[in-house]
Amino acid sequence: MLTKDKIRRILSNRIEELSSLNLPHFSLLNDITKASLRIKKAVEKKEKIVVVGDYDVDGVVSSSIMHLFFKNFYDNFEIVIPDRFDEGYGLSPKLLERIKADLIITVDNGITSFEAAKICKEKGIDLIITDHHTPVSCDNLPKAYAIVNPKTSPDFPFKEICGAEVAWYLCAALKHQMKLNTDLREFLDMLSIAVIADVMPLTHMNRTLVNMGLKRLNRALKPFSAAIKRFFQKELKSEDIAFQVAPRLNAAGRVSHASLAFRFLISQNDEEAFKLWLELDGINNKRKEIEKNILEQIKIDESDGFLVVEGDFHEGVVGIIASRLVHRYKKPAIVLSKTAEGYKGSGRSLGNIDIFEMVEECSDILEGFGGHKMACGLKLKEKNLKFLKEKLNEKVKKYQKEDFYIEDFVLGELPFKEIDYDLYEILKEFEPYGEGNPKPKFTAEAKVEYVYNLKDNHYKLVLSQEDCFLPAVIFNFDEDFEEYIKFKFSVGFNDYNNEIQLIIEEIL
Ligand SMILES: [Mn+2]
C-alpha cells in the first residue's frame, strides 16, 4: 500500500537527474557563433533573410519566436511556412522556387534537406540550418553554411530539445552578438507549448523552461495567452497544453494552413487573437469530424498483427488515426492516404515494438521513409502495398505478447485515508507531468455510494472505503456501475467545489 512518504520518494527519484537548473550555454551548440555572425552581417548589409518553418506546433512556435525577435530591429525579413499538401515538409527544392533571399534560416527542419542545400549553394544563397531532428549520420549532413542542432553538438549536454528551443538559443546567441536588449524570457510562454506539443521529455532543462513558461502563460502577458486564458477560464497545466491547446494549434496545419496558428501566436491585439483562437477551435472541430468519419470507414482485419489501412483519407490526420488504432487494438498501425503517385502515410507503435526498424527493413519497396521507434512516415507505390502488408505482418511476429503494451504509470494501490490536500500538494510539487515525467496514477477499491449523471455519459460519484468518503468523476462511461468497483485513477482538484476529487480513468 502506498503512503504519502512513499509517493514523494518515488516521484523525487524521477526528478533527481533533472535538478540541474542552469540552462546549458548557447555556445555549446556547434556552429551557433558562425551562424549568428552571418546573420549579424546580413542585418548590417540589409540582406533579405527568410526563415523557413514547419506546420506543426513546434515549427509554428519556432517561426513565431523568430518573427517576434527580429521585428524589433529588422524588417527585411520574412517567415515562410510550407503548405503541408502542396509543398510538403521542410526546405525542399519545390519550396525554394518561391523564396527570394540572400540568407535562409530553417527552424525545426532542414537536417535532411540535402537537395535544397545544394540548390542554395548554386544560387549563392547562404543557408543556416537549425533543427533538432536526428541527422542521417553526423558525417553525412547537408552542405550548409552552418548547422545548429543539439544532435550534431557533442558538447551540448541534453539532446532532447525541440526545434523552438534551438531557435530560441539562436536568438540568445544573436542577442549576445548584436548587443540587443530583448528579454528572451518573453518567449517562454509559447516555447513551453512547443516543448510539450513535440513530446519532449519534461526533464532536465525542459522541466525548467516549461515551469517558467507555464507561469508566464497563465499570467496572460500576450494577446495569444490572454485569448487561451479567456477561453478556458482556469489555470493551465502541462496536460491542458498537451490535450487542449496543442491540438487546436496543430489543426491549422492539418486541415487549413499553419499560417493561421502563426498569426494567432504573433498577434498584437487581444480581440484579434481571440477571434483567431475561435477560428482555430472551429478548425479543430472540423479535424475531429474528419477523423471520426475515417474511423467509421476503416475496416480492420483482426487477425493481422500489424495493422496497415489505406484509403482516400485526408493527409493531415493519418498520424492521429494511426495512434487511435494503436490504442484501440493494441497493435502497431500504419494509415496511408491515396496520392497521385501511390500512397503516403504515417505509422505509430506501442510498447517495445520498433516500428522504424521494421519499416526500414522494407526500404527496398518504399519511395521514402523516416521516423523513430514509436512513429514513422512513409511513401510507396501502389503495386508495393500488398508486399508491405505481408512483410510487416511477418516481421511483427518476432515480438512476444508482452512487447505489446500501452505505457501506463500506475504507482500502486492507494488507500482513501492517504488522499487529502497534503497529498495533492505533494503531487503538485513534481509538475509538470508529461513525457519523461508521467502523471502518477493509482488503483483502489471502493463502494459506489451515489451516482450523479453530469451530462451524456459523464458521471460524478461518491465513493467510500471504510469510513472515508471521496468524490470522483468518470468520463465517457457507457456501462452500469457495480456496487463495488476496482479502478485506476489520478488525483485532481475541483476548483468549483474546492475539493479533492478522483479522476477515474478505467474501471478494472
Ligand atoms: Mn519539432
Side-chain angles (χ1 to χ4, degrees):
M1 287 279 183
L2 292 169
T3 58
K4 286 190 196 77
D5 280 347
K6 207 162 159 197
I7 292 170
R8 191 198 287 273
R9 238 178 304 129
I10 297 172
L11 296 179
S12 49
N13 275 340
R14 277 185 191 170
I15 302 296
E16 219 163 29
E17 36 121 9
L18 46 95
S19 58
S20 88
L21 285 175
N22 290 325
L23 294 181
H25 193 256
F26 64 77
S27 61
L28 297 173
L29 287 165
N30 278 15
D31 270 8
I32 200 164
T33 303
K34 188 178 179 197
S36 50
L37 283 170
R38 177 65 188 87
I39 297 167
K40 183 179 176 211
K41 193 177 111 194
V43 170
E44 282 160 4
K45 291 171 62 186
K46 301 228 168 359
E47 290 178 325
K48 172 76 183 276
I49 303 175
V50 170
V51 168
V52 174
D54 184 25
Y55 34 69
D56 72 355
V57 175
D58 189 20
V60 172
V61 170
S62 309
S63 307
S64 304
I65 290 175
M66 294 294 275
H67 169 91
L68 294 170
F69 180 80
F70 274 88
K71 85 169 176 44
N72 287 327
F73 63 89
Y74 196 57
D75 54 17
N76 197 8
F77 178 88
E78 191 191 341
I79 300 280
V80 171
I81 300 175
D83 182 287
R84 183 193 288 264
F85 309 101
D86 256 18
E87 294 157 331
Y89 170 78
L91 179 66
S92 58
K94 182 160 186 196
L95 188 69
L96 271 178
E97 285 170 21
R98 72 164 163 109
I99 294 177
K100 273 189 98 67
D102 301 303
L103 175 63
I104 294 179
I105 307 169
T106 65
V107 288
D108 191 32
N109 77 90
I111 200 67
T112 52
S113 296
F114 293 94
E115 265 311 293
K118 219 154 86 199
I119 299 171
C120 283
K121 210 159 207 170
E122 283 160 18
K123 287 187 169 173
I125 303 170
D126 281 335
L127 170 63
I128 293 171
I129 292 172
T130 82
D131 199 351
H132 70 119
H133 294 97
T134 311
V136 184
S137 90
C138 272
D139 11 74
N140 186 11
L141 299 169
K143 301 262 177 300
Y145 181 85
I147 295 180
V148 182
N149 184 331
K151 289 174 180 143
T152 60
S153 308
D155 295 334
F156 198 78
F158 187 67
K159 309 292 177 197
E160 299 307 313
I161 63 175
C162 68
E165 286 172 292
V166 181
W168 185 73
Y169 265 117
L170 181 67
C171 294
L174 267 170
K175 172 185 167 160
H176 171 81
Q177 213 58 258
M178 302 181 66
K179 304 193 171 45
L180 303 167
N181 51 19
T182 318
D183 184 354
L184 289 164
R185 283 174 303 182
E186 194 198 313
F187 306 121
L188 292 183
D189 44 14
M190 57 177 82
L191 189 70
S192 64
I193 298 179
V195 176
I196 295 167
D198 234 38
V199 214
M200 293 295 119
L202 298 182
T203 58
H204 201 272
M205 59 176 281
N206 289 341
R207 179 179 160 78
T208 311
L209 290 174
V210 166
N211 268 330
M212 289 167 78
L214 287 180
K215 273 193 200 116
R216 291 186 82 88
L217 189 76
N218 278 301
R219 280 162 64 199
L221 300 169
K222 290 209 201 69
F224 93 86
S225 46
I228 294 175
K229 287 290 280 186
R230 182 169 160 193
F231 187 83
F232 290 108
Q233 297 282 338
K234 63 166 194 161
E235 174 89 10
L236 294 157
K237 297 183 175 225
S238 50
E239 298 127 88
D240 303 311
I241 305 301
F243 301 116
Q244 306 292 336
V245 176
R248 286 173 169 85
L249 294 174
N250 252 330
R254 291 186 190 282
V255 294
S256 165
H257 193 285
S259 59
L260 188 67
F262 173 68
R263 277 191 287 135
F264 167 68
L265 288 173
I266 63 163
S267 176
Q268 297 296 309
N269 168 306
D270 281 355
E271 284 315 307
E272 179 203 55
F274 194 64
K275 252 177 77 185
L276 288 167
W277 176 255
L278 293 179
E279 216 175 307
L280 288 166
D281 182 55
I283 290 174
N284 189 45
N285 288 333
K286 205 165 135 195
R287 188 266 305 169
K288 287 191 204 157
E289 192 62 30
I290 295 172
E291 229 179 276
K292 201 173 136 230
N293 285 336
I294 297 179
L295 277 167
E296 281 166 5
Q297 271 177 52
I298 284 179
K299 282 187 193 63
I300 296 293
D301 183 348
E302 300 247 16
S303 65
D304 283 345
F306 195 126
L307 309 176
V308 181
V309 290
E310 78 284 357
D312 210 351
F313 306 145
H314 193 292
E315 246 178 71
V317 300
V318 287
I320 310 180
I321 304 275
S323 55
R324 295 253 189 278
L325 294 178
V326 169
H327 277 262
R328 189 180 294 174
Y329 297 96
K330 312 255 184 315
K331 290 171 181 176
I334 285 179
V335 178
L336 297 163
S337 104
K338 184 99 189 66
T339 62
E341 299 88 36
Y343 289 105
K344 187 175 161 195
S346 262
R348 294 289 183 275
S349 193
L350 72 164
N352 266 330
I353 298 164
D354 191 336
I355 195 171
F356 181 73
E357 186 191 83
M358 281 190 282
V359 166
E360 197 177 25
E361 285 167 8
C362 300
S363 59
D364 54 323
I365 53 168
L366 298 176
E367 301 307 303
F369 68 96
H372 52 91
K373 187 182 171 209
M374 301 308 280
C376 69
L378 67 166
K379 258 194 283 193
L380 68 155
K381 292 203 172 112
E382 191 164 358
K383 65 170 187 218
N384 286 325
L385 180 62
K386 203 172 126 257
F387 300 122
L388 181 74
K389 286 186 180 177
E390 284 168 11
K391 276 191 161 191
L392 291 175
N393 268 291
E394 198 46 50
K395 287 184 190 303
V396 78
K397 286 185 186 148
K398 75 172 178 193
Y399 289 102
Q400 308 297 316
K401 206 170 165 242
E402 54 272 21
D403 293 322
F404 295 75
Y405 59 87
I406 306 273
E407 253 189 294
D408 207 349
F409 300 93
V410 176
L411 296 191
E413 191 171 347
L414 180 63
F416 273 22
K417 62 176 177 7
E418 290 289 328
I419 305 174
D420 54 17
Y421 198 75
D422 289 343
L423 172 72
Y424 181 70
E425 286 291 305
I426 292 173
L427 295 173
K428 254 180 96 93
E429 266 174 50
F430 297 97
E431 287 179 349
Y433 294 117
E435 188 69 15
N437 184 32
K439 184 169 187 166
K441 291 177 195 166
F442 310 95
T443 59
E445 274 176 79
K447 184 175 180 208
V448 180
E449 299 282 353
Y450 182 75
V451 178
Y452 174 77
N453 183 219
L454 288 166
K455 191 191 166 208
D456 304 328
N457 51 0
H458 314 314
Y459 299 90
K460 185 163 176 101
L461 312 172
V462 175
L463 302 174
S464 72
Q465 192 184 67
E466 289 158 27
D467 45 8
C468 279
F469 289 76
L470 284 171
V473 284
I474 182 165
F475 302 107
N476 302 310
F477 186 71
D478 290 314
E479 289 150 59
D480 291 325
F481 291 98
E482 310 264 335
E483 193 183 352
Y484 287 90
I485 55 173
K486 183 168 187 208
F487 56 100
K488 184 168 94 192
F489 66 99
S490 60
V491 178
F493 192 76
N494 181 339
D495 292 308
Y496 191 72
N497 290 337
N498 243 321
E499 60 182 8
I500 301 289
Q501 71 180 5
L502 312 184
I503 299 151
I504 301 180
E505 301 223 336
E506 197 184 342
I507 307 251
L508 302 166

